[in-house]
Amino acid sequence: MRTQVGIIGSGPSGLLLARLLHLQGIDTVILESRSREYVQGRIRAGVIEQGMADLLREAKVGERMDREGLIHEGINIAFANRLERIDFPSHTDGKVVMVYGQTEITHDLMKAHIDEAGGIVHYEAPAVRVEDYDTGSPRIIYEQNGQRKELICDFVAGCDGFHGVARQSVPSDKISVFARNYPFGWLGILSDVPPVREELVYVSHECGFALCSMRSHIRSRYYVQCDLDDRVENWTDDAFWDELRRRLPPHVAETVTTGPRLEMSIAPLHSFVAEPMRFGRLFLAGDAGHIVPPTGAKGLNLAASDIYYLCRALLAYYKDKRTDLLDRYSETALRRVWKAIRFSWWYTSLLHKLDDDPMTHRLQIAELDYLTGSVAGRTTLAENYVGLPYETFE
Ligand code: RFL
Ligand code: PHB
């Protein structure tokens, strides 16, 4: 089999790239190790930066998002029994974020790319490795129905997430990795109850971090910081709600509506960057190249900015025979990646229980007091949260 751009992974990175290229007449084939139902069912991100929302509109999959997504003009931060609000538009030249689940984005992309446009996605077809990426015709070796097959391409996009094979196809002496594992995780619940506040609430408490998020006016997503060795089986719904309320200021806690879980899961927190993001004709994008802890809501948004740069670079090649944007892809994408890695690390360290030393929490409260009380502090937080701008090219 042969295609122009072979894509490994049908998460948001892979699907968005395929969709944008299809709209410009460029052929793709996506290879995905899991089933369509599995990919569709994963519950993950919820906050979309304006840059990503604009890219989804460019991909002509923004209609339902614009109808059903919630525009948020700020976030709340709870600490020391206080609730402070950071307003986005007044600190960022009018920018806002969109609350719209990754599950819905994946659904919209699948409908547009596969069901309506007839785009090719092979599910349950895991890639095994990428070969010949230093030549003019790289190949993806994959498995389907127990058979080994190969997809010959002009370019390969490794959109196969943190555990994928694209990055692992490169010899370790050609790649530098930077990693930090945090000694805690997030226990999350999804429940059909109205959110406690109209906007997200990030909580720093001496018992640990908590987050009140949502998917709609009637579906909430809440998280509490937990130990890395904790298990979902250790938690009843009541125990979760009690722990969440313990960490909220009393006047907020008493307004939490509780209900049965639709889903409960634990996610570990990591920071990870692989450099470079380009190896000959193999390009990494999204979680395949970098991971952030979810605190800053940046993972999915970074995947989108990678796809923005990669798509423009591929278009410049196919339409104008230009290779300069492909050559600059890694450097350009990584500049934005590192700023989000920094923000996510800083915001995680600011809000989580890091150790048992009471002074650590006092220092965090002092920083939160400074940040929320100063125009400069609020601006720094707001600018990073709504998303730093994408670079443009002539
Ligand atoms: P994905 O979504 O992991 O998709 C990769 C796909 O590749 C497939 N795959 C393979 N296919 C073929 N052959 C192989 N050998 C393969 N190996 C893997 C996988 O099955 C999968 O379908 O990566 P992608 O597309 O780069 O997208 C990244 C985002 O999913 C991720 O960054 C976000 O979910 C992170 N994230 C958040 N990001 C935000 O921007 N805002 C948020 O509010 C936010 N909240 C979150 C999050 C992630 C979380 N978890 C569970 C890690 C909240 C949580 C709890
Ligand atoms: C979510 O709604 O899942 C969510 C929101 C904000 C974050 C992380 C996760 O920072």
Side-chain angles (χ1 to χ4, degrees):
M1 196 170 35
R2 202 190 152 94
T3 189
Q4 289 178 296
V5 181
I7 300 175
I8 311 177
S10 79
S13 305
L15 282 168
L16 182 57
L17 180 63
R19 172 70 179 163
L20 288 164
L21 291 176
H22 167 81
L23 292 176
Q24 299 293 328
I26 295 164
D27 290 335
T28 63
V29 170
I30 302 184
L31 302 172
E32 165 59 51
S33 54
R34 315 301 294 243
S35 67
R36 178 168 173 165
E37 295 66 38
Y38 180 90
V39 173
Q40 166 68 71
R42 280 191 296 227
I43 308 209
R44 286 186 166 179
V47 177
I48 310 302
E49 295 172 354
Q50 205 155 303
M52 175 165 190
D54 289 343
L55 196 60
L56 291 170
R57 291 183 192 111
E58 182 183 320
K60 300 196 191 326
V61 287
E63 198 195 307
R64 194 162 71 98
M65 171 187 76
D66 283 327
R67 215 175 41 243
E68 297 177 13
L70 309 175
I71 290 176
H72 280 204
E73 298 194 346
I75 49 169
N76 301 290
I77 305 188
F79 60 98
N81 286 335
R82 290 161 54 186
L83 189 70
E84 300 291 340
R85 181 172 182 275
I86 308 283
D87 185 75
F88 298 148
S90 59
H91 293 96
T92 63
D93 252 345
K95 292 217 181 84
V96 295
V97 296
M98 175 81 83
V99 171
Y100 189 64
Q102 180 168 335
T103 317
E104 309 310 319
I105 294 173
T106 307
H107 177 273
D108 297 344
L109 281 165
M110 283 174 169
K111 181 163 168 277
H113 184 62
I114 307 170
D115 303 336
E116 290 168 11
I120 302 172
V121 182
H122 292 295
Y123 286 101
E124 299 178 74
V128 180
R129 64 181 176 277
V130 182
E131 291 187 348
D132 296 339
Y133 56 80
D134 270 334
T135 73
S137 46
R139 294 178 297 141
I140 307 172
I141 314 299
Y142 68 101
E143 282 171 0
Q144 197 173 29
N145 303 322
Q147 286 183 326
R148 191 150 280 222
K149 301 184 175 177
E150 68 177 35
L151 174 63
I152 304 170
C153 326
D154 297 341
F155 298 98
V156 174
C159 299
D160 47 351
F162 181 64
H163 299 287
V165 297
R167 193 180 69 245
Q168 289 163 28
S169 299
V170 178
S172 54
D173 62 338
K174 298 270 184 298
I175 195 160
S176 303
V177 298
F178 303 86
R180 179 158 298 181
N181 297 328
Y182 299 84
F184 40 75
W186 280 18
L187 171 70
I189 198 171
L190 186 73
S191 183
D192 273 340
V193 290
V196 66
R197 280 285 182 284
E198 278 186 14
E199 294 172 336
L200 273 62
V201 185
Y202 287 86
V203 187
S204 170
H205 188 271
E206 57 197 3
C207 296
F209 169 81
L211 170 61
C212 309
S213 181
M214 67 199 71
R215 292 292 175 271
S216 68
H217 293 303
I218 50 161
R219 180 166 290 182
S220 296
R221 180 74 164 154
Y222 291 108
Y223 299 94
V224 292
Q225 176 182 350
C226 64
D227 289 339
L228 266 186
D229 58 2
D230 210 340
R231 295 281 163 270
V232 168
E233 299 75 59
N234 299 340
W235 290 84
T236 62
D237 292 354
D238 285 344
F240 181 92
W241 294 116
D242 286 347
E243 192 55 40
L244 176 72
R245 284 184 294 215
R246 187 188 343 273
R247 298 182 189 189
L248 289 167
H251 71 286
V252 182
E254 67 197 21
T255 61
V256 171
T257 309
T258 64
R261 76 182 77 176
L262 296 171
E263 190 257 12
M264 190 185 266
S265 53
I266 291 183
L269 272 64
H270 307 284
S271 299
F272 172 88
V273 185
E275 286 186 353
M277 289 171 63
R278 181 239 178 132
F279 307 89
R281 286 180 170 241
L282 166 63
F283 294 82
L284 303 180
D287 280 14
H290 40 76
I291 299 277
V292 287
T295 325
K298 290 287 166 252
L300 176 62
N301 290 299
L302 277 186
S305 57
D306 288 353
I307 295 306
Y308 169 89
Y309 293 131
L310 183 54
C311 181
R312 273 153 181 75
L314 289 167
L315 289 179
Y317 174 85
Y318 282 112
K319 305 267 180 218
D320 304 321
K321 297 198 167 33
R322 280 174 63 177
T323 54
D324 56 324
L325 297 191
L326 289 169
D327 292 340
R328 273 154 56 194
Y329 166 72
S330 178
E331 188 195 327
T332 314
L334 279 167
R335 244 196 320 268
R336 192 168 191 280
V337 165
W338 270 112
K339 282 180 254 184
I341 291 275
R342 185 214 66 83
F343 172 68
S344 306
W345 157 79
W346 166 77
Y347 200 42
T348 299
S349 313
L350 178 65
L351 295 172
H352 287 72
K353 178 174 177 156
L354 302 177
D355 55 37
D356 289 325
D357 183 347
M359 181 151 174
T360 311
H361 187 54
R362 286 289 193 285
L363 290 170
Q364 289 171 321
I365 289 178
E367 187 168 356
L368 285 163
D369 193 21
Y370 161 70
L371 266 178
T372 54
S374 132
V375 176
R378 289 196 300 270
T379 306
T380 295
L381 186 48
E383 263 178 1
N384 282 279
Y385 196 91
V386 301
L388 298 174
Y390 294 5
E391 286 178 43
T392 50
F393 309 99
E394 58 303 326

